[in-house]
Amino acid sequence: MAAPDGARVEVPCGYAAFPKEIVRPPRAWAEKVFNIQRWTVMPSGGHFAAMEEPEALADEIRAFFRPLR
């Protein structure tokens, strides 16, 4: 995803890095554009993570939102 120069998403963001994902952005690039609060390298899964690893993805989403409550 391209962003205009200097554009930044300031809302808290998280990223679950699934090892078999088709495209995985470098963390340094993502942190320049997004307010990354949580970056997790997942043990398995890929492009269809919600179908391949639904419990792991749900646990990660819960863990991301827990401190934001």
Side-chain angles (χ1 to χ4, degrees), residues 5-59:
D5 286 341
R8 182 166 165 80
V9 175
E10 293 298 337
V11 297
C13 299
Y15 184 76
F18 287 91
K20 294 184 181 176
E21 180 60 83
I22 295 169
V23 176
R24 293 187 353 204
R27 185 174 182 166
W29 176 84
E31 288 177 337
K32 286 181 184 177
V33 178
F34 299 97
N35 178 12
I36 302 290
Q37 298 295 306
R38 184 178 177 91
W39 185 281
T40 305
V41 177
M42 304 300 282
S44 61
H47 187 67
F48 298 104
M51 290 187 296
E52 297 169 9
E53 299 292 339
E55 287 185 40
L57 180 59
D59 289 346

